[in-house]
Amino acid sequence: MVQVKNLPYITLRFKFYKKGALQYISHLDLVRTMHKIIVRAGFPLWYTEGFNPKPKLIFGAPLSIGCESDCEFLDVRLVERMNESDAIAALNQNMTEEMQVTEAYYTDGKFSDMAYLGYDFRFSLVDGTRALESIAACLEREEILIKKQGKSGKEKVMKTVNIKPQIHSAKVYADGEEICIRAILSADPASFLNPEHLVSVLKNECGILKEENLAKESYSILRTDAYKKDLSPFV
Amino acid sequence: MTSIKDLSSILKSVQKPGRYIGGEMHSIVKDKENISLRFALCFPDVYEIGMSNLGSRLLYHTLNQDPAIWCERVYAPAEDMKAQMEKHGIPLTAIESGEDVKAFDILGFSLHYELCYTTVLSMLKLAGIPLLSKDRKEDEPIILGGGPCAYNSEPMADFFDLMNIGEGEELLSDICHLYMQMKADGTYSRSAFLRRAAAEIEGVYVPSLYDVTYNEDGTIAAYTPKFPDVPKKVKKRIVKDLDKAPYPDKLVMPYIETVHDRITLEIYRGCIRGCRFCQAGMIYRPIREKSPQTLCKAAKCLFENTGYDEISLISLSTSDYSRLRELTDLLLEWTDDAHVSLSLPSLRLDSFSEELMQKISSVRTGGLTFAPEAGTQRLRDVINKNVTEEDLLRSVRIAFRGGKSSVKLYFMNGLPTETYEDIEGIAKTAKRVIDTYYELPREERPSGLGVTVSVACFVPKPFTAFQWEKQDSFESLIKKQSYLRGCITDRRIKYNYHEAKVSFIEAVLTRGDRRLAPAIAAAVEAGAYLDAWEEGFSFDRWMRAFASAGVDPAYYTTRGFGLDEVLPWDVIDCGITKQFLKREREKAYKGETTPACSEHCSGCGASALGGKTRWCK
Ligand code: SF4
């Protein structure tokens, strides 16, 4: 493989959404898919050195399966500057409707500056009014405990973890037939909170989304914003 | 219609929900108001497997080229998804539209492996379509099958309306056109359509249009067409000129990882070798090559439309492609700069060279596979695997020098005339591969030596020189497997083998006749599904199903078939003559080899099928 060593690069950042059925695509599969999209788009890509050169793609906070997002970030290294709107058009042509780029800009910023992520949860429940009260009570507790698989030495053990400190804020309200939660959760890699964990707390504590009600009940999670430490928008 | 919204609660509670969502880049959605025929290309295995299937990719592209046809994909839901669908009353749907396949015109199943039969029937059940052809109503879809198992699909004869014998590109289009024409002029009925298809379209086999009679000893007496215009023997359909055949310019881009997640280029069809156990080597004859120019153009176009970083050159034996060098040179002109690597699977030992090694050196996988198939030269001559141990050792030497440290060797147990000496030969061959590694100067040895010996069990397949042979009993195969384990003393050799009981069931199904249908239905009734997966397979369930249907599996396996017996697949003409196969069988027992087509045409009969071939006389 031909590889010119030590080429300088510039970083083009894309903000995109990933919605609808694409919520079922895992982060790993997204990475794989994105590699092919970027190659199809014909960008002047910067390649890693070595035996098996690859373009360098860096993603913002991973999104778990079952979660939609309006606010995903991807950094792509280029060897040559290209016009931002051309880049957006080239990418969007190579992606399906449920995933499209909304912004592109050159940056030196780091994803480690991302401290919080905002989420909208929506539940359609058989008994919404009752759920609303118990969800509110649950979110106000001093401690919100979940059971998580962890490690003790080499062995896998179930650990109980308090996720309250990872919840910056969470408000529950009714919107028509649906029960909604607006939450800002930690995005810091050391204390990242998977929004599904919040749902599983509510499942266990508030008796919602029981297996036998699956056909009637459902929920959605949408990642809406990213914030810096001081709660200013992350760009 | 089942929308993603309805499915969403379920998708959150199944493994790998990405299998079911569709909406992939380059998947084809048409306006159903402007469509005359809805075709469901059904693959009886999970998404990751089906999406990688070359034949399905070809047919999806070919059928959708016709604006009047909308061809969609259907895969078998995994066990957990199937359970959820059954629980919530969600029927089998097509990926593109999300619509119930029961409303489609034609369902075409790919029969790529005998153990997928139970999955086919389970998919029909999920779709709410009657299993037996004779029970289907006028407005229910036509169920057709194709692929390698169609060459003896007799065990599935009662379930299928129509079988495709041979290559599907032109054949399926003809079938669809007849269907549309008859619908348009008002002459369509199931029986009228099937009759005309059988009579007018080469390569169509309609099982219900034949009477099968049996002798007192249970062997088949005759296949008799019910009408004079139905062919006595159904001749295989081939594409005559592969350079002119349609080839996809785009691939549906899976969001989740599939088993062959790369560009696959089919470089030729057929095989010049004629290994006597190999069905693929016979049924895809005659050998038709594509030109390097056609291939290179297709590869470039596919790369631009997919962004894949690997191109795999596919055929039964890549190095037998007569213009391989020209092709790889053409490809390397642009693939390096595009950061695309080439992979050349199915290399033969005798042609493995330093040069080829370099061309594949960019392939990520650390390992290489070789298939000597038998442990001694004597047995390799019997099966006409014309490679020597020297070929093998030379190849592995090149591979080791080229930095590949893990080598996988494929063998078979239970081949005709096999002795314990041949089995011991497998262990010895593997040991010699290890010795070859240590004979190299230290600085030429890549680190992490690993030799894997993988041993399959011989299944006598239809349309091979060994089609009449008995299969070894599974007790005997198990004994041989443990004997071999004892022979392999070197801890650096990893030994794995196929489950003999699986090969036994495979043999029953591949050699079976129409009397097996009730047994297959009984297995499905008892829960058989995704049998091709270890988790899905149950030997005891199969044995119970055979017993309940009064089928003696030994009749199809350890009995062997008489040379003058009417075989269940005699109704099919795949081009290869019985005389040729008998000749090959005799030579096998004498330990005589047959040269490759490139050296000498042995008159197998396939040339009568026509086609732009290089070697046939
Ligand atoms: S007709 Fe001759 S050359 Fe052609 S496939 Fe048969 S044996 Fe080979």
Side-chain angles (χ1 to χ4, degrees):
Chain A
M1 297 268 165
V2 201
Q3 174 69 27
V4 188
K5 293 226 158 162
N6 294 327
L7 270 185
Y9 61 82
I10 39 173
T11 301
L12 184 55
R13 175 167 295 172
F14 295 98
K15 185 177 177 191
F16 63 99
Y17 59 79
K18 175 172 174 277
K19 289 162 91 158
L22 292 190
Q23 67 184 283
Y24 299 108
I25 299 309
S26 70
H27 181 69
L28 213 70
D29 286 328
L30 174 71
V31 173
R32 214 183 342 258
T33 299
M34 213 38 119
H35 264 96
K36 284 173 283 211
I37 290 171
I38 294 278
V39 171
R40 287 206 294 273
F43 287 179
L45 294 172
W46 182 91
Y47 278 83
T48 56
E49 281 164 30
F51 185 62
N52 190 12
K54 292 261 182 224
K56 188 81 179 169
L57 271 55
I58 306 167
F59 287 81
L63 189 67
S64 54
I65 286 192
C67 194
E68 300 178 77
S69 177
D70 272 336
C71 182
E72 292 304 288
F73 293 97
L74 164 67
D75 283 0
V76 179
R77 289 185 185 173
L78 304 179
V79 289
E80 218 172 87
R81 183 172 277 269
M82 66 186 289
N83 176 289
E84 292 90 328
S85 53
D86 291 349
I88 295 181
L91 268 196
N92 284 348
Q93 252 177 39
N94 282 291
M95 303 199 285
T96 51
E97 274 168 28
E98 290 171 317
M99 184 162 72
Q100 292 279 293
V101 172
T102 50
E103 287 171 44
Y105 47 87
Y106 288 93
T107 181
D108 294 322
K110 296 272 175 302
F111 286 129
S112 49
D113 292 340
M114 193 190 286
Y116 299 105
L117 286 160
Y119 295 92
D120 283 339
F121 297 73
R122 301 186 86 87
F123 298 88
S124 78
L125 299 171
V126 174
D127 188 352
T129 342
R130 235 188 61 203
L132 182 68
E133 285 162 27
S134 70
I135 291 173
C138 179
L139 291 174
E140 269 161 34
R141 280 187 218 156
E142 286 296 301
E143 277 193 331
I144 300 177
L145 299 177
I146 60 158
K147 284 209 162 58
K148 227 173 123 179
Q149 209 171 59
K151 268 186 191 162
S152 148
K154 270 188 186 160
E155 285 189 21
K156 280 187 182 164
V157 287
M158 291 305 275
K159 281 185 179 170
T160 307
V161 192
N162 176 20
I163 60 168
K164 183 81 181 188
Q166 288 154 270
I167 304 174
H168 177 273
S169 60
K171 285 186 195 65
V172 59
Y173 59 98
D175 180 9
E177 300 278 281
E178 290 181 321
I179 304 298
C180 306
I181 302 172
R182 166 80 200 146
I184 294 178
L185 309 179
S186 169
D188 184 335
S191 60
F192 181 85
L193 182 61
N194 182 340
E196 286 288 347
H197 286 337
L198 196 57
V199 176
S200 64
V201 168
L202 304 179
K203 270 188 192 172
N204 294 336
E205 312 271 318
C206 312
I208 60 168
L209 303 166
K210 283 270 187 269
E211 173 72 10
E212 63 270 19
N213 279 336
L214 264 187
K216 288 181 219 134
E217 298 196 333
S218 67
Y219 67 100
S220 64
I221 309 173
L222 174 67
R223 182 185 277 176
T224 53
D225 321 85
Y227 305 97
K228 292 186 184 163
K229 197 101 217 140
D230 60 1
L231 285 186
S232 64
F234 172 87
V235 282
Chain B
M1 172 170 174
T2 317
S3 77
I4 195 82
K5 187 87 188 124
D6 300 331
L7 280 175
S8 73
S9 316
I10 288 165
L11 288 181
K12 282 188 182 169
S13 54
V14 298
Q15 297 278 309
K16 296 201 194 172
R19 286 164 167 165
Y20 311 107
I21 61 170
E24 307 97 328
M25 189 81 192
H26 303 323
S27 66
I28 295 170
V29 174
K30 295 188 180 180
D31 177 0
K32 59 181 178 184
E33 299 311 314
N34 302 324
I35 293 299
S36 312
L37 188 150
R38 298 205 44 192
F39 194 101
L41 203 54
C42 303
F43 198 87
D45 208 325
V46 293
Y47 180 89
E48 300 92 296
I49 309 289
M51 276 293 282
S52 304
N53 183 264
L54 179 63
S56 306
R57 282 177 173 178
L58 280 176
L59 294 175
Y60 183 75
H61 169 77
T62 309
L63 287 175
N64 276 317
Q65 274 189 328
D66 189 329
I69 300 172
W70 184 10
C71 172
E72 300 182 48
R73 294 160 298 142
V74 181
Y75 301 103
E79 195 74 65
D80 63 339
M81 182 65 173
K82 178 167 169 272
Q84 292 285 354
M85 288 166 74
E86 284 165 348
K87 191 167 148 198
H88 298 289
I90 297 172
L92 187 70
T93 52
I95 291 259
E96 281 78 358
S97 62
E99 291 178 2
D100 201 343
V101 295
K102 197 179 176 191
F104 279 51
D105 295 290
I106 302 179
L107 266 56
F109 281 89
S110 159
L111 303 177
H112 54 285
Y113 182 31
E114 291 81 4
L115 284 178
C116 74
Y117 290 169
T118 51
T119 308
V120 171
L121 296 189
S122 305
M123 287 170 79
L124 288 177
K125 270 176 85 177
L126 260 183
I129 296 170
L131 296 190
L132 290 170
S133 166
K134 66 174 169 58
D135 293 341
R136 280 177 212 130
K137 297 192 199 68
E138 281 302 328
D139 61 346
E140 284 174 325
I142 295 288
I143 308 299
L144 66 79
C149 296
Y151 288 91
N152 179 30
S153 54
E154 287 305 279
M156 294 293 275
D158 291 353
F159 307 116
F160 277 90
D161 298 315
L162 187 156
M163 278 291 168
N164 269 9
I165 308 301
E167 294 161 0
E169 291 103 322
E170 292 163 9
L171 177 50
L172 265 187
S173 297
D174 288 354
I175 292 169
C176 290
H177 280 109
L178 178 66
Y179 181 96
M180 290 190 287
Q181 184 204 323
M182 291 181 77
K183 281 268 171 170
D185 65 21
T187 56
Y188 178 87
S189 69
R190 294 180 76 82
S191 60
F193 166 70
L194 292 174
R195 171 83 176 274
R196 274 193 66 185
E200 295 170 22
I201 304 174
E202 188 177 273
V204 167
Y205 172 50
V206 176
S208 59
L209 294 179
Y210 296 80
D211 284 318
V212 185
T213 48
Y214 300 92
N215 298 313
E216 262 171 33
D217 63 357
T219 55
I220 297 167
Y223 273 77
T224 321
K226 289 183 179 164
F227 304 100
D229 56 352
V230 174
K232 279 205 176 66
K233 256 180 181 264
V234 176
K235 195 163 158 197
K236 172 175 84 179
R237 184 78 173 265
I238 62 162
V239 173
K240 302 254 150 74
D241 184 350
L242 284 185
D243 275 329
K244 297 205 181 88
Y247 205 76
D249 53 349
K250 292 187 175 97
L251 300 175
V252 177
M253 300 301 296
Y255 279 111
I256 64 169
E257 192 174 21
T258 59
V259 289
H260 298 302
D261 211 359
R262 60 184 82 101
I263 294 169
T264 41
L265 267 195
E266 184 192 28
I267 56 179
Y268 69 94
R269 285 185 194 165
C271 183
I272 62 169
R273 295 289 163 176
C275 297
R276 291 176 180 134
F277 58 85
C278 178
Q279 186 188 42
M282 292 293 126
I283 59 175
Y284 298 125
R285 282 185 175 192
I287 299 101
R288 288 146 295 149
E289 297 191 335
K290 287 193 180 188
S291 73
Q293 290 73 23
T294 307
L295 289 166
C296 189
K297 220 173 104 197
K300 187 103 198 263
C301 179
L302 279 171
F303 165 68
E304 280 160 8
N305 288 328
T306 63
Y308 275 121
D309 61 1
E310 184 180 347
I311 298 174
S312 188
L313 305 182
I314 300 290
S315 65
L316 289 171
S317 173
T318 307
S319 38
D320 286 336
Y321 176 56
S322 68
R323 297 163 78 182
L324 185 59
R325 204 197 157 125
E326 200 183 332
L327 173 64
T328 46
D329 285 350
L330 266 180
L331 288 170
L332 288 168
E333 273 176 24
W334 60 271
T335 50
D336 263 0
D337 288 341
H339 301 273
V340 172
S341 63
L342 297 183
S343 64
L344 290 82
S346 323
L347 287 177
R348 266 184 70 91
L349 295 172
D350 47 355
S351 58
F352 193 81
S353 66
E354 208 88 43
E355 190 197 337
L356 268 179
M357 178 74 210
Q358 267 165 16
K359 286 182 179 162
I360 56 171
S361 63
S362 48
V363 178
R364 277 164 293 277
T365 52
L368 281 174
T369 55
F370 298 107
E373 305 290 1
T376 59
Q377 196 57 46
R378 185 200 67 80
L379 191 52
R380 281 194 292 273
D381 288 344
V382 168
I383 63 175
N384 202 41
K385 186 88 198 178
N386 288 328
V387 294
T388 62
E389 187 172 278
E390 198 28 60
D391 291 328
L392 171 68
L393 299 182
R394 191 182 50 82
S395 306
V396 296
R397 206 170 293 131
I398 296 171
F400 288 145
R401 279 211 193 102
K404 308 279 170 186
S405 58
S406 76
V407 171
K408 200 167 178 183
L409 304 172
Y410 286 104
F411 295 95
M412 231 182 254
N413 266 161
L415 287 162
T417 78
E418 182 186 50
T419 65
Y420 277 79
E421 203 183 319
D422 299 310
I423 298 168
E424 211 184 322
I426 295 175
K428 284 185 180 158
T429 308
K431 181 70 174 62
R432 259 167 242 144
V433 168
I434 300 232
D435 295 342
T436 306
Y437 174 86
Y438 284 104
E439 279 156 28
L440 286 175
R442 191 171 280 274
E443 59 281 6
E444 284 183 30
R445 294 179 212 158
S447 60
L449 169 71
V451 174
T452 305
V453 168
S454 184
V455 187
C457 302
F458 169 66
V459 176
K461 289 274 192 179
F463 297 112
T464 65
F466 291 155
Q467 63 180 358
W468 297 275
E469 297 308 308
K470 352 177 173 336
Q471 190 187 33
D472 236 352
S473 69
F474 61 83
E475 293 91 347
S476 158
L477 283 167
I478 291 168
K479 229 170 94 192
K480 288 177 174 178
Q481 288 171 340
S482 66
Y483 178 75
L484 178 54
R485 174 175 297 288
C487 295
I488 297 175
T489 46
D490 196 309
R491 297 232 321 276
R492 288 160 297 193
I493 301 172
K494 203 171 150 244
Y495 169 47
N496 48 47
Y497 52 87
H498 285 202
E499 201 57 65
K501 288 178 172 178
V502 174
S503 305
F504 178 78
I505 302 300
E506 234 179 272
V508 178
L509 296 175
T510 197
R511 300 163 67 75
D513 54 44
R514 294 188 177 189
R515 291 169 292 188
L516 282 185
I520 299 172
V524 172
E525 225 24 74
Y529 185 64
L530 294 177
D531 253 330
W533 295 79
E534 213 180 308
E535 316 82 272
F537 181 82
S538 158
F539 181 73
D540 294 338
R541 182 170 53 210
W542 271 111
M543 294 309 273
R544 280 196 302 273
F546 290 140
S548 76
V551 166
D552 172 17
Y555 176 84
Y556 300 99
T557 55
T558 47
R559 174 181 75 99
F561 290 166
L563 283 176
D564 299 320
E565 206 175 309
V566 175
L567 304 173
W569 49 93
D570 277 350
V571 66
I572 305 298
D573 171 13
C574 84
I576 312 294
T577 61
K578 234 184 191 179
Q579 294 90 301
F580 173 77
L581 295 177
K582 281 186 179 164
R583 231 163 40 226
E584 280 298 294
R585 181 177 179 274
E586 280 165 27
K587 286 173 85 178
Y589 278 103
K590 287 192 225 146
E592 285 174 19
T593 60
T594 296
C597 299
S598 53
E599 288 163 43
H600 174 77
C601 169
S602 309
C604 72
S607 59
L609 296 169
K612 215 177 112 188
T613 74
R614 190 177 181 89
W615 312 113
C616 302
K617 290 269 151 54

